[in-house]
Amino acid sequence: MKILVCISKAPDTTAKIAFKDNNTAFDENNVQYIVNPYDEWYALVRALELKETLGGTVTTVSVGGTDMEAIIRKAFAIGADDGVRIDAEPTDAYFVAEQIASYAKQGGFDIILAGKETINYNGSSLGGMLAELLDMPYVSMATKLDVAGTTATIECDIDGGTEVLECDFPLVISAAKGMAEARIPNMRGIMAARTKALNVIAPVAADKLTEVKSYTLAQGRTTCKMIDAENAGSLIEMLHNEAKVI
Amino acid sequence: MSILVYTESSKGKIKKASLEAVNYAAEIAAKTGTTATAIIINAGDASLEDLGKAGANKVLHVNNASINASDSQVLTRILNHVAESEASSIVIFSNDLTAKAVAPRLAARMKAGFVPGAVDYPQTDGAFTVNKNVFSGKAIATYQVNSAKKVISLLPNSFQVKTDAAAVAATNFDVPADLLASRIKVKEVKRETNELSLPEAELVVSAGRGMKGPENWGMIEDLAKQLGAATACSRPVSDIGWRPHHEHVGQTGIAIRPNLYIAVGISGAIQHLAGVNGSKTIVVINKDPEAPFFKAADYGIIGDAFDVVPKLIEAVKKFKASQN
Ligand SMILES: Cc1cc2nc3c(=O)[nH]c(=O)nc-3n(C[C@H](O)[C@H](O)[C@H](O)COP(=O)(O)OP(=O)(O)OC[C@H]3O[C@@H](n4cnc5c(N)ncnc54)[C@H](O)[C@@H]3O)c2cc1C
């Protein structure tokens, strides 16, 4: 079984968000990057679990500059066999999907996994676009993935519940919470990561369908009205009369 | 040209988020001098008149039991076909679970610029731009869509729903059978029947590790029930199995923006706030006056949950009685 896992980087969850160049670009100063949690905790770890029980290989693919390599090595330390970096600045999800699709077309992958979204752009776009460009079935927001022979069984969230789906290889899946538990790389993994193959390939041409023109920080709340615990019940009147939410 | 809006029904009614998306499509249609067409698949006995009342100029009903609605590829082919036959260059979704599976696919198929989770109306004079939340709600980005075709999914609960337009009769729309081939088999559907769906809930009562153990959730559920609210929880609570995973809100759970979010015994870590700070009104109940959540709240009560929550339940009961 050949599994491809799409890996992206994201600012550490506690990073201070700021913008530069007249609010047209994210200010990376003092920002620590991590493997996007959905890609790492759920997609990559589940891929590794499947490989460990059923055999096969786990390859990662990322679109980015040289700064992406530390992120890819982290995925190696956790257990990925090898990785590909497509050497281009990711401009939007469609651009990234075109790059990965072009690579994956030659790869003969059985399962392509992505995280359900990145925690910086929160688009939930890549998996669906990739599946369309590859003409493959797509299951989004999967919370469980099992494989028997060449068939995947997937559980995913639907409105007000869950459903269990079955699909033959090849297919694209986006991974949400529930698929696996986070893994902490051990010393052996970290040592091995240095010698695993990280192949750099050139990007293909792709249309720039969207671009971010500017950013603004979200407005925080200014005042918190304190209510005495003894008098907690008065909150309900305030929610009705003042906030008008009940 | 027209604007196509994808809608769904649930439990015999058009979904509220779909009506909101129709309002949104109708507004963009008015701004750009065109019309809004709503499409719905297998609506059952839901009243299709509501789509017209929400502003659709035309309502198309695809009624075909052999459509596998769990297959994003099938829905994509159908919507692409409808968009072509209606000459729609803009397709609108509500950013729900279906949209997350189908909208990016459709965008790639149509070579349309895609903005997922838009939070307000696009600017259409000159360049086409629309705002969306980024960095898990910590910032807003203005996206410019360069392509002639566009797919936009609207973040639910961004606008008040209006249904004051005139009803229009729905037209049946037949789709060619060759679009319906599916490689996905549905083995089982599990619905949590009585629970309110968390992403769509207007009121949410959420609790964290401060509740000490799963046996103490009775009062949280009771408060939620009295308010007609859904329940949610912080990540550690779902990680240790006190509550189901689908209740986990935050940066690595789901992001919600109800009208009212009541947080009980949750410290307000930055990753938790990222999933709830879009809520209209936030109430925080915590025994620690230094809890960071108070800085992100509209109303705060410093006190022991075990003492405050029962008082709130009583107050809601009294309030409801006074409303009758
Ligand atoms: C990469 C990453 C991603 C994360 N993603 C998420 C996420 O998506 N969602 C999320 O929630 N967390 C997330 N976290 C975890 C987050 O950092 C916090 O650890 C978590 O939110 C804390 O949960 P809590 O508030 O329930 O528990 P605690 O931090 O333990 O807080 C419990 C609170 O209850 C109060 N309390 C205790 N007893 C009582 C009482 N009797 N009455 C009233 N109040 C009481 C305490 O004062 C305290 O403020 C993430 C962390 C990381 C590193």
Side-chain angles (χ1 to χ4, degrees), chain B residues 254-310:
Chain B
I254 58 166
I256 54 171
R257 39 198 248 131
N259 290 336
L260 174 63
Y261 184 75
I262 303 183
V264 185
I266 301 176
S267 56
I270 188 161
Q271 299 94 349
H272 184 85
L273 297 181
V276 302
N277 57 11
S279 310
K280 286 204 180 72
T281 299
I282 294 182
V283 175
V284 168
I285 299 159
N286 198 303
K287 68 174 185 192
D288 174 10
E290 301 295 320
F293 218 149
F294 286 118
K295 290 204 179 67
D298 300 290
Y299 296 94
I301 302 178
I302 299 168
D304 190 327
F306 295 86
D307 167 45
V308 172
V309 174

Coordinates of all heavy atoms in Angstrom, one line a residue, chain B residues 254-310:
Chain B
I254 N -13.9 21.9 16.7 CA -14.6 22.7 15.7 C -14.7 24.1 16.1 O -14.6 24.4 17.3 CB -16.0 22.1 15.4 CG1 -16.8 22.0 16.6 CG2 -15.9 20.7 14.7 CD1 -18.3 21.8 16.3
A255 N -14.9 25.0 15.1 CA -15.0 26.4 15.4 C -16.5 26.7 15.4 O -17.2 26.3 14.4 CB -14.3 27.3 14.4
I256 N -17.0 27.4 16.3 CA -18.5 27.7 16.3 C -18.6 29.2 16.6 O -17.7 29.9 17.1 CB -19.2 27.0 17.4 CG1 -18.6 27.2 18.8 CG2 -19.3 25.5 17.1 CD1 -19.4 26.6 20.0
R257 N -19.8 29.8 16.2 CA -20.1 31.2 16.5 C -21.5 31.4 16.8 O -22.3 32.0 16.0 CB -19.6 32.1 15.4 CG -19.8 31.6 14.0 CD -18.9 32.3 13.1 NE -19.6 33.2 12.2 CZ -19.3 34.4 11.9 NH1 -18.5 35.1 12.6 NH2 -19.9 35.1 11.0
P258 N -22.0 30.8 17.9 CA -23.4 30.9 18.3 C -23.7 32.4 18.8 O -22.8 33.2 19.0 CB -23.5 29.9 19.4 CG -22.2 29.9 20.1 CD -21.2 30.1 18.9
N259 N -25.0 32.6 19.0 CA -25.3 33.9 19.6 C -24.9 34.0 21.0 O -24.5 35.1 21.5 CB -26.8 34.2 19.5 CG -27.3 34.4 18.1 OD1 -26.5 34.8 17.3 ND2 -28.5 34.1 17.8
L260 N -24.9 32.9 21.7 CA -24.6 32.9 23.2 C -23.7 31.7 23.4 O -24.0 30.5 23.1 CB -25.8 32.8 24.0 CG -25.6 32.6 25.5 CD1 -24.9 33.8 26.1 CD2 -26.9 32.4 26.3
Y261 N -22.5 31.9 24.1 CA -21.6 30.8 24.5 C -21.4 30.9 26.0 O -20.8 32.0 26.4 CB -20.3 30.9 23.7 CG -19.3 29.8 24.0 CD1 -19.5 28.5 23.4 CD2 -18.2 30.0 24.8 CE1 -18.6 27.5 23.7 CE2 -17.3 29.0 25.1 CZ -17.5 27.7 24.5 OH -16.6 26.7 24.8
I262 N -21.8 30.0 26.7 CA -21.6 30.0 28.2 C -20.5 29.0 28.5 O -20.6 27.8 28.2 CB -22.9 29.6 28.9 CG1 -24.0 30.6 28.6 CG2 -22.6 29.6 30.4 CD1 -25.3 30.4 29.3
A263 N -19.4 29.5 29.1 CA -18.2 28.6 29.4 C -18.1 28.4 30.9 O -18.0 29.3 31.6 CB -16.9 29.2 28.8
V264 N -18.2 27.1 31.3 CA -18.2 26.8 32.7 C -16.9 26.0 33.0 O -16.7 25.0 32.4 CB -19.5 26.0 33.1 CG1 -19.5 25.7 34.6 CG2 -20.7 26.6 32.6
G265 N -16.1 26.6 33.9 CA -14.9 25.8 34.3 C -13.9 25.6 33.2 O -13.3 24.5 33.1
I266 N -13.8 26.6 32.3 CA -12.9 26.5 31.2 C -11.9 27.7 31.4 O -12.4 28.8 31.6 CB -13.6 26.6 29.8 CG1 -14.6 25.5 29.6 CG2 -12.5 26.6 28.7 CD1 -15.4 25.5 28.4
S267 N -10.6 27.4 31.3 CA -9.7 28.5 31.7 C -9.6 29.6 30.6 O -9.3 30.7 30.9 CB -8.3 27.9 31.9 OG -7.8 27.2 30.8
G268 N -9.8 29.2 29.3 CA -9.8 30.2 28.3 C -8.4 30.3 27.6 O -7.9 31.3 27.2
A269 N -7.8 29.1 27.4 CA -6.5 29.0 26.7 C -6.7 29.5 25.3 O -7.8 29.4 24.7 CB -6.0 27.6 26.6
I270 N -5.6 30.1 24.7 CA -5.7 30.7 23.4 C -6.3 29.7 22.3 O -7.0 30.1 21.4 CB -4.3 31.2 23.0 CG1 -4.4 32.1 21.7 CG2 -3.3 30.1 22.9 CD1 -3.2 33.0 21.6
Q271 N -5.9 28.4 22.5 CA -6.4 27.4 21.5 C -7.9 27.2 21.6 O -8.6 26.9 20.7 CB -5.7 26.1 21.6 CG -4.2 26.2 21.4 CD -3.4 26.3 22.6 OE1 -4.0 26.6 23.7 NE2 -2.1 26.2 22.5
H272 N -8.4 27.4 22.8 CA -9.8 27.2 23.0 C -10.6 28.4 22.5 O -11.5 28.3 21.7 CB -10.2 27.0 24.5 CG -11.6 26.8 24.8 ND1 -12.2 25.5 24.7 CD2 -12.7 27.6 25.1 CE1 -13.5 25.6 24.9 NE2 -13.8 26.9 25.1
L273 N -10.0 29.6 22.8 CA -10.7 30.9 22.3 C -10.8 30.9 20.8 O -11.7 31.4 20.3 CB -9.9 32.1 22.8 CG -9.8 32.3 24.3 CD1 -9.0 33.5 24.7 CD2 -11.2 32.4 24.9
A274 N -9.7 30.3 20.1 CA -9.7 30.4 18.7 C -11.0 29.8 18.1 O -11.4 30.1 17.0 CB -8.5 29.7 18.2
G275 N -11.6 28.8 18.8 CA -12.8 28.2 18.2 C -14.1 28.8 18.6 O -15.1 28.4 18.1
V276 N -14.1 29.8 19.6 CA -15.3 30.3 20.1 C -15.4 31.8 20.1 O -16.5 32.4 20.3 CB -15.6 29.8 21.5 CG1 -15.6 28.3 21.5 CG2 -14.6 30.3 22.5
N277 N -14.3 32.5 19.7 CA -14.3 34.0 19.9 C -15.2 34.7 18.9 O -15.4 35.9 19.0 CB -12.9 34.5 20.0 CG -12.0 34.2 18.8 OD1 -12.6 33.7 17.8 ND2 -10.7 34.4 18.8
G278 N -15.7 34.0 17.9 CA -16.7 34.6 17.0 C -18.1 34.6 17.6 O -19.0 35.1 16.9
S279 N -18.3 34.1 18.7 CA -19.6 34.0 19.3 C -20.1 35.5 19.6 O -19.3 36.3 20.0 CB -19.6 33.3 20.7 OG -19.0 32.0 20.5
K280 N -21.4 35.7 19.5 CA -21.9 37.1 19.7 C -21.7 37.5 21.1 O -21.1 38.6 21.5 CB -23.3 37.3 19.3 CG -23.4 37.2 17.7 CD -24.7 37.9 17.2 CE -24.7 37.9 15.7 NZ -24.9 36.5 15.2
T281 N -22.2 36.7 22.1 CA -22.1 37.0 23.5 C -21.4 35.9 24.2 O -21.8 34.7 24.0 CB -23.5 37.3 24.1 OG1 -24.1 38.4 23.4 CG2 -23.4 37.6 25.6
I282 N -20.4 36.2 25.0 CA -19.7 35.1 25.8 C -19.9 35.3 27.3 O -19.7 36.4 27.8 CB -18.2 35.1 25.4 CG1 -18.1 34.7 23.9 CG2 -17.5 34.1 26.3 CD1 -16.6 34.6 23.5
V283 N -20.3 34.3 28.0 CA -20.5 34.3 29.4 C -19.4 33.3 30.0 O -19.3 32.2 29.5 CB -21.9 33.9 29.9 CG1 -22.0 33.8 31.4 CG2 -22.9 34.8 29.3
V284 N -18.7 33.8 31.0 CA -17.7 32.9 31.6 C -18.0 32.7 33.1 O -18.2 33.7 33.8 CB -16.3 33.5 31.4 CG1 -15.2 32.8 32.3 CG2 -15.9 33.4 29.9
I285 N -18.0 31.5 33.5 CA -18.2 31.1 34.9 C -16.9 30.4 35.4 O -16.6 29.3 34.8 CB -19.4 30.3 35.1 CG1 -20.7 31.1 34.6 CG2 -19.6 29.9 36.6 CD1 -21.9 30.2 34.3
N286 N -16.2 31.0 36.3 CA -14.9 30.4 36.7 C -14.6 30.8 38.1 O -14.9 32.0 38.5 CB -13.8 30.8 35.8 CG -12.6 29.9 35.8 OD1 -12.0 29.8 36.9 ND2 -12.2 29.3 34.7
K287 N -14.1 29.9 38.9 CA -13.8 30.3 40.3 C -12.5 31.1 40.5 O -12.3 31.7 41.5 CB -13.8 29.1 41.2 CG -12.7 28.1 41.0 CD -12.8 27.0 42.1 CE -11.5 26.1 42.0 NZ -11.6 24.9 42.8
D288 N -11.7 31.1 39.4 CA -10.5 31.8 39.5 C -10.6 33.2 38.8 O -10.8 33.3 37.6 CB -9.4 31.0 38.8 CG -8.1 31.7 38.7 OD1 -7.9 32.8 39.3 OD2 -7.2 31.2 37.9
P289 N -10.5 34.3 39.6 CA -10.7 35.6 39.1 C -9.6 35.9 38.0 O -9.8 36.8 37.2 CB -10.6 36.6 40.2 CG -10.1 35.8 41.4 CD -10.3 34.3 41.1
E290 N -8.5 35.2 38.0 CA -7.4 35.5 37.1 C -7.6 34.6 35.8 O -6.7 34.7 34.9 CB -6.1 35.1 37.7 CG -5.7 35.9 39.0 CD -5.6 37.4 38.7 OE1 -5.0 37.7 37.7 OE2 -6.1 38.2 39.5
A291 N -8.6 33.9 35.7 CA -8.8 33.0 34.5 C -8.7 33.9 33.2 O -9.5 34.9 33.2 CB -10.1 32.2 34.5
P292 N -7.9 33.5 32.2 CA -7.8 34.4 31.0 C -9.1 34.6 30.3 O -9.3 35.6 29.6 CB -6.7 33.7 30.2 CG -6.4 32.4 30.9 CD -6.9 32.4 32.2
F293 N -10.0 33.6 30.4 CA -11.3 33.7 29.7 C -12.0 35.0 30.0 O -12.7 35.5 29.1 CB -12.1 32.5 30.0 CG -12.9 31.9 28.8 CD1 -13.2 30.6 28.7 CD2 -13.3 32.8 27.8 CE1 -13.8 30.1 27.6 CE2 -14.0 32.3 26.7 CZ -14.3 30.9 26.6
F294 N -11.9 35.5 31.2 CA -12.7 36.8 31.5 C -12.3 37.9 30.6 O -13.1 38.8 30.3 CB -12.4 37.2 33.0 CG -13.1 36.3 34.0 CD1 -12.4 35.5 34.9 CD2 -14.5 36.2 34.0 CE1 -13.1 34.7 35.8 CE2 -15.2 35.4 34.8 CZ -14.5 34.6 35.8
K295 N -11.1 37.9 30.1 CA -10.6 39.0 29.1 C -11.3 38.8 27.8 O -11.3 39.8 27.0 CB -9.1 38.9 28.9 CG -8.4 39.3 30.2 CD -7.0 39.8 29.8 CE -6.2 40.3 31.0 NZ -5.9 39.1 31.9
A296 N -11.9 37.7 27.5 CA -12.5 37.5 26.2 C -14.1 37.4 26.4 O -14.7 36.9 25.5 CB -12.0 36.2 25.6
A297 N -14.6 37.8 27.5 CA -16.0 37.6 27.8 C -16.8 38.9 27.8 O -16.2 40.0 28.0 CB -16.1 36.9 29.2
D298 N -18.1 38.8 27.7 CA -19.0 39.9 27.8 C -19.6 40.0 29.2 O -19.8 41.0 29.8 CB -20.1 39.8 26.8 CG -19.6 39.8 25.4 OD1 -19.1 40.9 24.9 OD2 -19.6 38.7 24.7
Y299 N -19.8 38.8 29.8 CA -20.4 38.7 31.1 C -19.5 37.7 31.9 O -19.2 36.6 31.3 CB -21.8 38.2 31.1 CG -22.8 39.2 30.5 CD1 -23.1 39.1 29.1 CD2 -23.3 40.3 31.2 CE1 -23.9 40.0 28.5 CE2 -24.1 41.2 30.6 CZ -24.5 41.0 29.3 OH -25.3 41.9 28.7
G300 N -19.2 38.0 33.2 CA -18.4 37.1 33.9 C -19.0 36.8 35.3 O -19.6 37.8 35.9
I301 N -18.9 35.6 35.8 CA -19.3 35.3 37.2 C -18.1 34.6 37.8 O -17.7 33.5 37.4 CB -20.6 34.4 37.2 CG1 -21.7 35.1 36.5 CG2 -20.9 34.1 38.7 CD1 -23.0 34.3 36.5
I302 N -17.6 35.2 38.9 CA -16.5 34.5 39.6 C -17.2 33.7 40.7 O -17.8 34.2 41.6 CB -15.5 35.6 40.3 CG1 -14.9 36.4 39.2 CG2 -14.5 34.8 41.1 CD1 -14.2 37.6 39.7
G303 N -17.1 32.4 40.6 CA -17.7 31.5 41.6 C -17.6 30.1 41.2 O -17.1 29.7 40.1
D304 N -18.0 29.2 42.1 CA -17.9 27.8 42.0 C -19.1 27.3 41.1 O -20.2 27.6 41.4 CB -18.0 27.1 43.4 CG -17.7 25.7 43.3 OD1 -18.0 25.0 42.3 OD2 -17.1 25.2 44.3
A305 N -18.7 26.6 40.0 CA -19.7 26.1 39.1 C -20.8 25.4 39.8 O -22.0 25.5 39.4 CB -19.1 25.2 38.0
F306 N -20.4 24.6 40.8 CA -21.4 23.7 41.4 C -22.5 24.5 42.2 O -23.5 24.0 42.6 CB -20.7 22.7 42.4 CG -19.8 21.8 41.6 CD1 -18.5 22.1 41.2 CD2 -20.3 20.6 41.1 CE1 -17.7 21.3 40.4 CE2 -19.6 19.7 40.4 CZ -18.2 20.1 40.0
D307 N -22.1 25.8 42.4 CA -23.0 26.7 43.1 C -23.8 27.6 42.1 O -25.0 27.8 42.2 CB -22.1 27.5 44.1 CG -22.8 28.6 44.7 OD1 -24.0 28.4 45.2 OD2 -22.2 29.7 44.8
V308 N -23.0 28.1 41.1 CA -23.6 29.0 40.2 C -24.6 28.4 39.2 O -25.6 28.9 38.9 CB -22.4 29.8 39.4 CG1 -23.0 30.6 38.3 CG2 -21.6 30.6 40.4
V309 N -24.2 27.2 38.6 CA -25.0 26.6 37.6 C -26.4 26.3 38.0 O -27.4 26.6 37.4 CB -24.3 25.4 36.9 CG1 -25.2 24.7 35.9 CG2 -23.0 25.9 36.2
P310 N -26.6 25.7 39.2 CA -28.0 25.4 39.7 C -28.8 26.7 39.8 O -30.0 26.7 39.5 CB -27.8 24.8 41.1 CG -26.4 24.1 41.0 CD -25.6 25.0 40.1

